[in-house]
Amino acid sequence: MVNTSVRLAQINPAVKLTAHLMVMLFLMMIADPATSALLWVLSIVIGILFGGWNIQYIIKRIVPYFAFFLLVFWMLAAFGKGEHIVGEFAWFRITEEGIYNGLTIAFRMLGFVTYGLLFTSTTDTTQLVMSMIHQYRLSPKWGYGLLAGLRFIPLFQSELSQMKAAHKIRGFHAQGKLKSFARYTLPLFTQGIRKAERVAIAMEARGFDGAKPRTYYHVPTIRRIDWMYCAFLFMAVLSLTALSFSFGWLHWTWNGSSA
Amino acid sequence: MNWKMREVVLTVALSLACGVLYLGWSTLWLPISALVGPVGAEIMFGIWVLASPLIAFIIRKPGAALIAEVSAAAVEVFTGSHFGLSSLLIGFCQGLGAELAFFLFRYKKYSLSTLMLSGAFAAIGSMVYSLLANGFGYFTPGVLGATFALRIISGAILGGLLAKLIAESLAKTGTLQQYELMRQRREQQGDTYGSTSGM
């Protein structure tokens, strides 16, 4: 899934992670739908410019989230607080404020999804961990432990589906989600523990003790292009916010919201 | 605070296993919450805080609860799914909450009540995130209060109690002989020569 040829893939993963998390924190401070929508559109534009996204990719990966958008919007529109009631039926109570807030949060969630996708679709996990070791001083013990563990994820996933299939073929029908959950977790965890034990012993047997001074095959650094990307991203976010402010759309979270 | 390699890898592996379980859970979550509102869906919330109490209970070291929840949340980043980076943020908030419970007892007490407290605190941590990011502050006070209460209860039961049950079953399988949980238990029973089964 990771496309390493695009420009965004060349940005230092730790820097990219920090930058995207900061934009997401900024999104949390905004409480109006227009600004949130603008910032969401920005993430799509960045994806097209630097992430190598094309229409097909967007249709395949982003459009499914419109259903998610509607759900989040609906939750706040139907269960949110507000004075001006638009419609009421069953246990749903739709208000103007609810719609306004619902749109804000729905666009914010879409923003979270796409900024997250921008990161995950252009970041190699091994490079991310190496960059965490070098840029964030994650101890090698945890870094390599994490790398070893990451190989388990697809294994766990296939094991889980295998267990489900094995139960099914023997005629076991799960009564309720929780019961089947209890049924599959235990084997999954015991396998996990055994695998972890073997990997740890293998690492120690090869002389890995996680000590700090060590050599690396590949040392990620922070280069000028990383700063340029951050500068571009933050400038774009700030100018869109300023634009929204000049139209009088902007609302901060701490100012409360008004429809 | 000296972690052995096997403890590091076990923490990572178990958290990631929890993360894989969370993946299935989050697809169920949204449709249900849209239909019955945030309140009804909260009953299921506790599963998401399972990693912290479970791993802290086995490893018994400062930081285990926080690391566990963040790594479990990281599965969503590494598999490139749904919530990606936002799950990392919420995982951090939950982990901090869960960690606080063990910190309050100075990492000495690992009883069922501590585990349930840890699950409840993790729920509070996630609630703080939901208020800041997911606009939970916009719900009517009644809905918000009910959501909050249910989430804490669910965190304590599905997080804390379930973690205890799972850990006890895992202990029975004999795979945990080398870890702090069983070591402390052997000490209590006066069994000095530790058996080395479970490979």
Side-chain angles (χ1 to χ4, degrees), chain B residues 66-96:
Chain B
L66 178 60
I67 293 167
E69 198 59 48
V70 174
S71 346
V75 171
E76 306 228 8
V77 180
F78 292 131
T79 52
S81 86
H82 289 325
F83 303 105
L85 294 184
S86 44
S87 75
L88 208 57
L89 291 175
I90 194 167
F92 182 73
C93 292
Q94 287 175 3
L96 271 186

Side-chain angles (χ1 to χ4, degrees), chain B:
Chain B
M1 243 248 347
N2 196 17
W3 288 69
K4 292 196 195 80
M5 201 60 218
R6 59 148 51 98
E7 288 167 337
V8 169
V9 183
L10 180 84
T11 304
V12 171
L14 275 189
S15 329
L16 297 184
C18 288
V20 169
L21 291 171
Y22 294 173
L23 280 180
W25 220 238
S26 41
T27 37
L28 263 173
W29 169 264
L30 266 166
I32 294 181
S33 55
L35 189 66
V36 292
V39 181
E42 289 305 319
I43 299 169
M44 298 160 48
F45 169 83
I47 293 292
W48 272 308
V49 296
L50 179 67
S52 288
L54 176 67
I55 287 150
F57 183 66
I58 295 172
I59 302 280
R60 310 200 167 185
K61 277 196 162 57
L66 178 60
I67 293 167
E69 198 59 48
V70 174
S71 346
V75 171
E76 306 228 8
V77 180
F78 292 131
T79 52
S81 86
H82 289 325
F83 303 105
L85 294 184
S86 44
S87 75
L88 208 57
L89 291 175
I90 194 167
F92 182 73
C93 292
Q94 287 175 3
L96 271 186
E99 185 73 38
L100 182 68
F102 299 108
F103 174 78
L104 285 179
F105 291 99
R106 297 190 179 184
Y107 303 103
K108 291 251 160 63
K109 197 161 168 259
Y110 288 90
S111 61
L112 177 61
S113 50
T114 328
L115 292 188
M116 289 179 76
L117 189 70
S118 162
F121 279 1
I124 294 176
S126 84
M127 207 62 201
V128 170
Y129 175 83
S130 294
L131 280 173
L132 290 175
N134 299 347
F136 273 34
Y138 300 138
F139 286 127
T140 53
V143 171
L144 186 67
T147 307
F148 202 17
L150 263 179
R151 191 176 275 202
I152 290 180
I153 293 170
S154 175
I157 292 173
L158 284 184
L161 183 64
L162 190 64
K164 169 88 173 162
L165 293 177
I166 290 177
E168 290 302 340
S169 322
L170 286 177
K172 269 185 216 150
T173 65
T175 44
L176 292 175
Q177 292 300 326
Q178 296 300 311
Y179 300 95
E180 204 54 35
L181 161 69
M182 295 312 282
R183 193 161 295 170
Q184 285 183 7
R185 234 165 245 190
R186 280 200 299 273
E187 266 169 32
Q188 277 168 13
Q189 288 161 5
D191 176 12
T192 42
Y193 50 96
S195 71
T196 47
S197 65
M199 273 303 294

Side-chain angles (χ1 to χ4, degrees), chain A residues 16-17 20-21 24-25 28-31 61 65 68 71-72 74-76 79-82 91-93 101-102 104-105 108-109 112-113 115-117 119-120 125 128-129 140-142 144-153 156-157 160 177-178 181-182 184-186 188-190 192-201 203-204 208-210 253 256-257, chain B residues 1-18 20-25 28-31 33-38 47 50 54 58 67 71 74-89 129-141 143 158 162 165-167 169-170 173 175-176 178-179 197-199:
Chain A
K16 195 171 21 174
L17 179 68
H20 285 201
L21 284 178
M24 285 164 65
L25 290 177
M28 285 186 206
M29 298 194 284
I30 285 166
R61 297 292 304 226
Y65 287 107
F68 170 58
L71 285 178
V72 173
W74 174 250
M75 251 171 84
L76 274 156
F79 300 101
K81 62 183 169 198
W91 58 86
F92 305 117
R93 180 174 156 275
N101 293 331
T104 308
I105 299 299
R108 187 188 291 173
M109 291 298 118
F112 280 10
V113 166
Y115 280 107
L117 257 182
F119 178 78
T120 50
T125 45
L128 172 64
V129 175
K141 194 186 258 182
W142 282 101
Y144 285 95
L146 196 59
L147 277 179
L150 283 178
R151 301 283 166 265
F152 292 154
I153 297 179
F156 287 149
Q157 279 173 318
L160 195 61
K177 206 67 195 162
L178 202 67
F181 182 85
Y184 303 135
T185 40
L186 220 54
L188 189 72
F189 284 148
T190 38
I193 294 169
R194 290 208 175 104
K195 282 197 185 84
E197 187 116 8
R198 283 199 287 267
V199 165
I201 288 172
M203 285 166 97
E204 280 178 333
F208 180 84
D209 55 358
T253 312
S257 62
Chain B
M1 243 248 347
N2 196 17
W3 288 69
K4 292 196 195 80
M5 201 60 218
R6 59 148 51 98
E7 288 167 337
V8 169
V9 183
L10 180 84
T11 304
V12 171
L14 275 189
S15 329
L16 297 184
C18 288
V20 169
L21 291 171
Y22 294 173
L23 280 180
W25 220 238
L28 263 173
W29 169 264
L30 266 166
S33 55
L35 189 66
V36 292
I47 293 292
L50 179 67
L54 176 67
I58 295 172
I67 293 167
S71 346
V75 171
E76 306 228 8
V77 180
F78 292 131
T79 52
S81 86
H82 289 325
F83 303 105
L85 294 184
S86 44
S87 75
L88 208 57
L89 291 175
Y129 175 83
S130 294
L131 280 173
L132 290 175
N134 299 347
F136 273 34
Y138 300 138
F139 286 127
T140 53
V143 171
L158 284 184
L162 190 64
L165 293 177
I166 290 177
S169 322
L170 286 177
T173 65
T175 44
L176 292 175
Q178 296 300 311
Y179 300 95
S197 65
M199 273 303 294

